[in-house]
Amino acid sequence: MREVKLSKLSSQMTVLSMGVAAVLWSQAVSAAPAEDMPSTTLQTITVTANSSVRDKVQTDSVYIEDYTPAQQASHLSDFLNVVPGVTVGGTSAVNQRIRIRGLEDSNLKVTIDGARQEGKLFYHMGDITIDPDLLKQADVSVGNNSVTLGNDAIGGAVAFKTVDAVDLLKPDQRIGAKVHAGYASNNDELLTSTTVYAAPTDNVDLLAYYGKRDSDSGEDGNGRELFEDSKTESILLKAGAYIADDHHIGANFSQTEKKGIFPFRPDFPSRSEPPIPQQVKRDTYGIDYSFNPSNPLIDVDTNVYQTKTRILRDSDYINDPGFDFNAEVQTTGAKIQNTSDIATNVGTHKLISGIEHYKKESEMERDFVKAGSDEATNTSVYLEDQWKNGKLTLTPGVRYDRYKSPEFISGGKTYDNVVGALAASYEIAPLTQVFASYTQLFNGPDLSQTIFNSNGDKTYVNNDLKAEEGSNAEVGIVTTLRDLTVAGDALQLSGKYFETDIENYIEFVRSGGTRVGLDCVTGQLGGECQGVINKDEDFKIKGVELAADYKMNNFSMGLSYSRARSEGEKTGYSIPSVTGSSSESGDKYMVNLAYAPTETTDIGWRSTYVASVMPNTSENEIEKPSYNVHDIFMNYSPKQVDGLKATLGVYNLFDEAYASHSSRLNPIDDVATDFEKGRNIKASLTYQF
């Protein structure tokens, strides 16, 4: 049996658990290579902004030891917004909406420990349910640049990873624990959590986590109440073991459950409608297996999972039973991937091959009676070859998808699709690379929003619906300059231009009330049915992402700029959005500063400026005002108490009244705008032993 030393496990995983990693397009605060970073065993969150999922093709890693906003995060926006091209809307934790280059999560591949988070529940609430306190890492693919991502990834992907025992165990430690407590002043939020982890033998590791987060209503920068009275409980259980030589098997279970009194529509937190009891819950089960012998041709990773997300609403609280519902989406899937390293006379090949299958099912109950259900399945195989010969790297790839669509969307139609990709990078000078990539895109019709699932009743089933297709093209350069002002300093500069073309964009058309629906037979506008249609024009998204990251001794600074704009080829309108107000966000400028005046103290400052967006000629477009938000924070780890860390931060320092451009926003009616929290003082204490 292979002997796995605890010290080896710990040393391998410390880099993964080191602060925020901003890869290439990140807003980082260090430019030192990973191997130069000090080791740590405190759990942190790593954010990586990958323009490609391939190693060293369009990316280079930048790591920092710690990133305080991630440590004190209660919402995904607290740390994902650091990535250029990424915005997270929604003020409440039940309304977290990730957008990449304006595309919402229905066009993104989102996973938690490898488990796909598929389907849409309710357009007034978010689809991602996870407490950031569970996380150690969030890998962000800004744009789709690889056939390994596959279906539901037109805009890119976000892969959340929860903490493992080996992230926390110190060298030669058999058992340990971490206790954490945090408080936020704006909404009187209190977080308490305990993590216990152990390695009873050299080949086995175990982890158990329990966290509780209680929140009251907060307020925006103008003192308006953002109503929420909720309690969140999160559980994480993990076990891993090396069996015989080169085999590893692991199992995990995670759950986040949030109960409380929320606004009738959570993305309208200030509306006069009475709030009602609501519950959001996610359960994720997973088993993973890896086989990595000394043979360079074999490095197998396999995972099998099931994840279930549910929204339960009890409207008896307001004596309006017509709005009771229990909406649920379940995804079951498996993926097998092998990586082979092949050396030849004309360079080296890293061959990635895989097969993936998943099934997503939605079920809706209204007033405790089953109203509808639907499902879709996808099977895919892919092959990608990273060929490196001297300074040149070429990466071709091909993927085949067989997608069976939902019955009440497009009649269960099956789509067979083949896409290809090609990327190239060349080292034009030491530590300087230019790169380009072209990736074809495919996205089969998704499940309907679960709350509108009625087994075809008053629904137009579009048997002629086309799958979304298109392409993503990118070019850029990245360079690192060293010893500029003092010995050992480093400046990394990166720039990137992209164009994403989307054909057959799929739009959901609602009916009822003042809304103009579809004809139930022809699908033309002007009827009483809901359904999905292809837009009669193609869309193009264009933009740039720039970053500059500098490190000198105990000081570091990061600057970034990102811009993305979509446009229809006929009308010039931007891509329509069911969630929020529109797909467009203003140009984003970000500055991060960090300074460690002593060995025990770190201080930092973050500034985010988002420019205004002016409306175009579309009736659905609105002006989104600019905003400028500043955050300051400090960490203190006394030498006298090993493993103790205190953190203090002031977020939205100047009490700015603003709404994220990815949130529900109405410049005329404030009560129809999802305003962000005003000034928020956060304090936390962590002790690991």
Side-chain angles (χ1 to χ4, degrees):
M1 178 177 293
R2 185 169 103 179
E3 180 177 332
V4 181
K5 299 294 186 182
L6 292 179
S7 57
K8 180 179 179 181
L9 283 171
S10 180
S11 64
Q12 288 177 339
M13 297 304 295
T14 50
V15 173
L16 290 177
S17 63
M18 298 174 73
V20 174
V23 180
L24 189 57
W25 320 117
S26 67
Q27 180 54 60
V29 292
S30 172
E35 60 268 23
D36 295 336
M37 298 304 298
S39 65
T40 176
T41 56
L42 286 174
Q43 176 194 352
T44 56
I45 295 177
T46 302
V47 178
T48 60
N50 298 324
S51 60
S52 168
V53 296
R54 300 175 294 273
D55 296 337
K56 304 295 184 181
V57 173
Q58 295 181 5
T59 69
D60 196 7
S61 296
V62 180
Y63 295 91
I64 63 170
E65 182 181 358
D66 197 6
Y67 187 61
T68 307
Q71 292 293 291
Q72 296 189 302
S74 57
H75 193 277
L76 297 179
S77 61
D78 291 331
F79 58 93
L80 284 184
N81 278 349
V82 76
V83 180
V86 178
T87 57
V88 182
T91 302
S92 168
V94 300
N95 187 31
Q96 303 181 103
R97 303 184 184 280
I98 303 174
R99 290 185 186 270
I100 296 181
R101 297 173 178 171
L103 294 174
E104 58 194 23
D105 51 34
S106 60
N107 291 120
L108 308 176
K109 177 185 177 182
V110 180
T111 60
I112 298 175
D113 287 333
R116 280 180 174 262
Q117 307 296 299
E118 293 287 333
K120 295 174 288 187
L121 291 164
F122 181 33
Y123 70 105
H124 284 295
M125 302 178 77
D127 297 312
I128 311 301
T129 303
I130 191 168
D131 193 306
D133 198 45
L134 291 169
L135 298 175
K136 69 173 180 184
Q137 186 169 338
D139 297 328
V140 183
S141 297
V142 182
N144 188 331
N145 293 281
S146 172
V147 296
T148 63
L149 291 182
N151 189 50
D152 286 352
I154 282 183
V158 182
F160 295 107
K161 298 178 182 179
T162 58
V163 65
D164 291 296
V166 291
D167 301 312
L168 301 172
L169 284 164
K170 300 176 183 179
D172 300 320
Q173 187 181 24
R174 289 293 182 186
I175 187 169
K178 187 185 79 167
V179 292
H180 176 71
Y183 174 77
S185 65
N186 187 286
N187 58 342
D188 286 330
E189 181 178 270
L190 179 63
L191 167 67
T192 56
S193 67
T194 300
T195 309
V196 179
Y197 42 90
T201 71
D202 287 344
N203 298 327
V204 175
D205 59 88
L206 307 168
L207 179 141
Y209 165 96
Y210 174 77
K212 187 175 181 180
R213 190 187 296 267
D214 295 343
S215 303
D216 293 333
S217 296
E219 60 182 34
D220 67 14
N222 287 330
R224 289 178 291 249
E225 182 179 16
L226 306 175
F227 198 92
E228 175 183 342
D229 185 358
S230 67
K231 298 183 183 298
T232 303
E233 290 185 288
S234 293
I235 298 170
L236 175 64
L237 302 174
K238 281 191 170 184
Y242 283 91
I243 303 173
D245 293 336
D246 312 316
H247 299 268
H248 181 269
I249 188 169
N252 66 81
F253 167 72
S254 64
Q255 179 186 90
T256 295
E257 182 177 19
K258 194 175 188 74
K259 296 181 179 179
I261 308 297
F262 298 98
F264 189 74
R265 297 172 177 86
D267 57 352
F268 293 157
S270 299
R271 285 186 68 134
S272 58
E273 298 164 326
I276 61 174
Q278 301 189 59
Q279 173 186 344
V280 178
K281 183 179 181 182
R282 175 193 56 84
D283 296 302
T284 299
Y285 303 82
I287 297 175
D288 58 84
Y289 165 76
S290 62
F291 177 49
N292 185 16
S294 57
N295 188 337
L297 300 179
I298 302 175
D299 186 358
V300 179
D301 287 303
T302 303
N303 73 308
V304 180
Y305 61 84
Q306 182 179 91
T307 189
K308 183 184 297 184
T309 304
R310 184 179 78 164
I311 298 175
L312 178 64
R313 190 163 75 176
D314 182 4
S315 58
D316 287 343
Y317 185 75
I318 57 171
N319 297 318
D320 193 352
F323 286 91
D324 264 325
F325 65 68
N326 180 0
E328 179 179 290
V329 175
Q330 177 177 290
T331 305
T332 305
K335 180 179 177 181
I336 303 174
Q337 179 172 292
N338 181 65
T339 303
S340 300
D341 292 317
I342 304 171
T344 70
N345 294 331
V346 286
T348 61
H349 295 263
K350 185 176 183 180
L351 200 63
I352 301 174
S353 58
I355 181 170
E356 180 183 17
H357 176 81
Y358 65 90
K359 178 181 181 180
K360 49 187 175 183
E361 305 168 88
S362 67
E363 185 170 303
M364 174 64 184
E365 291 182 0
R366 190 176 294 278
D367 295 337
F368 308 103
V369 177
K370 185 175 180 179
S373 61
D374 214 344
E375 66 181 48
T377 60
N378 189 79
T379 302
S380 58
V381 293
Y382 56 88
L383 180 66
E384 182 177 85
D385 182 20
Q386 301 175 21
W387 173 55
K388 181 175 177 59
N389 186 14
K391 297 180 180 181
L392 175 67
T393 301
L394 292 176
T395 308
V398 63
R399 182 183 186 104
Y400 165 74
D401 283 276
R402 182 176 178 82
Y403 182 82
K404 186 177 184 300
S405 65
E407 183 69 29
F408 301 114
I409 293 295
S410 53
K413 182 178 179 180
T414 297
Y415 301 82
D416 291 283
N417 195 79
V418 178
V419 297
L422 178 63
S425 65
Y426 186 77
E427 187 178 358
I428 60 175
L431 300 178
T432 302
Q433 281 189 331
V434 293
F435 58 85
S437 69
Y438 177 83
T439 307
Q440 294 177 317
L441 306 174
F442 167 75
N443 189 19
D446 201 358
L447 297 167
S448 173
Q449 288 188 53
T450 308
I451 69 157
F452 297 131
N453 196 328
S454 57
N455 282 353
D457 182 40
K458 293 186 178 180
T459 298
Y460 169 66
V461 178
N462 191 346
N463 294 302
D464 298 321
L465 191 68
K466 299 177 182 178
E468 293 175 328
E469 298 177 346
S471 63
N472 183 54
E474 305 187 357
V475 295
I477 184 172
V478 57
T479 184
T480 300
L481 307 174
R482 298 187 180 278
D483 303 324
L484 295 175
T485 58
V486 298
D489 71 349
L491 172 66
Q492 185 181 68
L493 302 172
S494 59
K496 177 181 181 183
Y497 173 79
F498 64 88
E499 288 191 6
T500 303
D501 293 310
I502 302 178
E503 303 171 7
N504 310 323
Y505 187 86
I506 296 175
E507 181 181 27
F508 174 71
V509 180
R510 285 200 59 192
S511 61
T514 60
R515 301 179 183 90
V516 178
L518 302 174
D519 185 278
C520 299
V521 177
T522 66
Q524 299 297 312
L525 287 173
E528 299 179 349
C529 277
Q530 65 181 18
V532 294
I533 59 174
N534 294 116
K535 297 291 287 185
D536 60 358
E537 64 176 340
D538 297 336
F539 291 91
K540 185 184 292 289
I541 307 173
K542 297 180 180 179
V544 296
E545 291 151 2
L546 309 174
D549 303 297
Y550 178 72
K551 178 175 175 60
M552 178 184 66
N553 297 326
N554 55 353
F555 170 77
S556 53
M557 176 176 64
L559 309 173
S560 74
Y561 166 78
S562 60
R563 174 185 174 88
R565 290 288 186 275
S566 64
E567 184 177 288
E569 64 172 354
K570 296 179 182 179
T571 63
Y573 298 167
S574 61
I575 292 176
S577 174
V578 174
T579 63
S581 47
S582 73
S583 62
E584 300 294 76
S585 293
D587 297 4
K588 183 170 72 172
Y589 305 78
M590 183 168 281
V591 179
N592 264 319
L593 299 177
Y595 177 59
T598 69
E599 294 181 358
T600 60
T601 306
D602 299 294
I603 57 176
W605 172 64
R606 178 175 68 177
S607 176
T608 304
Y609 173 75
V610 177
S612 61
V613 177
M614 300 302 294
N616 58 23
T617 55
S618 168
E619 294 180 357
N620 297 322
E621 288 296 315
I622 61 173
E623 179 181 354
K624 298 183 179 182
S626 64
Y627 59 87
N628 192 0
V629 181
H630 302 269
D631 311 309
I632 58 173
F633 32 83
M634 180 182 71
N635 294 315
Y636 176 64
S637 302
K639 291 183 177 181
Q640 297 85 349
V641 184
D642 184 37
L644 182 66
K645 179 181 178 181
T647 303
L648 179 66
V650 184
Y651 300 87
N652 195 357
L653 178 65
F654 299 110
D655 211 17
E656 178 95 348
Y658 74 101
S660 166
H661 288 182
S662 293
S663 297
R664 182 74 59 179
L665 197 154
N666 188 321
I668 299 175
D669 185 2
D670 282 351
V671 300
T673 295
D674 194 0
F675 284 99
E676 298 287 329
K677 291 183 177 67
R679 184 183 297 112
N680 197 10
I681 301 172
K682 295 184 178 182
S684 60
L685 193 66
T686 302
Y687 181 49
Q688 183 176 337
F689 56 93

